[in-house]
């Protein structure tokens, strides 16, 4: 039995210049391993013999790309489609996720909406409850996001 797993990702260079300004590597703005795109988050597996391994593997991988990668790429053809998807999925958990806030803020920066960045970060800080070390750390990290994105 063979298992296959791959990641699909999209790089929006204008966002990545904000998130990774000094890095020349290609970063994915959004990426997932294909098992997250499957119902039940199952890994792909298949059985084959040595004689037909290469042919069956190629066919299986191409099917994975057609079934999961292409639709993923089609779902996020633009920064606007990514922003819409993020806003649609935003819930209480998302606003506690620093990477979510950072990405949404970078999108607003690309769009020239600096005033929205402060609102996004202020809202995320306001959602943090309590005064334990985790909340304090998250507040500091959100302020670092503000500084990184806005340069203030």
């Amino acid at each position: 039995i063979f298992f296959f797993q791959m990641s699909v990702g999209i790089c929006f260079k204008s966002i990545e210049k904000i998130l990774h300004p000094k890095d020349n590597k290609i970063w994915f703005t959004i990426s997932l391993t294909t098992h997250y795109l499957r119902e039940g988050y199952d890994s792909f597996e298949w059985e084959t013999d040595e004689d037909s391994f290469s042919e069956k593997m190629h066919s299986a991988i191409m099917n994975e790309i057609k079934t999961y990668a292409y639709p993923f790429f089609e779902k996020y053809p633009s920064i606007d489609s990514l922003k819409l998807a993020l806003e649609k999925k935003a819930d209480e958990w998302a606003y506690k996720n620093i990477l979510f806030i950072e990405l949404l803020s970078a999108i607003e920066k690309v769009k020239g909406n600096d005033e929205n960045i402060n609102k996004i970060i202020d809202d995320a800080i306001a959602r943090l409850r309590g005064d334990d070390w985790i909340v304090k750390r998250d507040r500091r990290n959100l302020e670092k996001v503000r500084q990184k994105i806005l340069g203030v």
Side-chain angles (χ1 to χ4, degrees), residues 94-133:
Y95 281 98
K96 293 178 181 176
N97 184 313
I98 303 296
L99 295 175
F100 174 86
I101 299 302
E102 185 178 48
L103 179 54
L104 206 51
S105 298
I107 291 170
E108 292 296 341
K109 183 69 173 177
V110 167
K111 297 288 185 184
N113 298 328
D114 285 9
E115 66 282 352
N116 287 354
I117 298 167
N118 282 317
K119 181 178 180 340
I120 289 166
I121 294 170
D122 289 343
D123 287 351
I125 290 171
R127 291 171 189 260
L128 295 171
R129 302 281 186 249
D131 209 27
D132 61 23
W133 71 271

Side-chain angles (χ1 to χ4, degrees), residues 40-55:
Y41 305 131
D42 295 328
S43 293
F44 175 68
E45 62 182 73
W46 73 95
E47 291 186 40
T48 188
D49 54 50
E50 286 184 38
D51 296 334
S52 62
F53 176 78
S54 183
E55 180 183 315

Side-chain angles (χ1 to χ4, degrees), residues 77-90:
S78 66
I79 292 172
D80 289 334
S81 63
L82 175 58
K83 181 181 179 206
L84 184 63
L86 289 172
E87 290 172 340
K88 196 181 288 187
K89 295 268 185 191

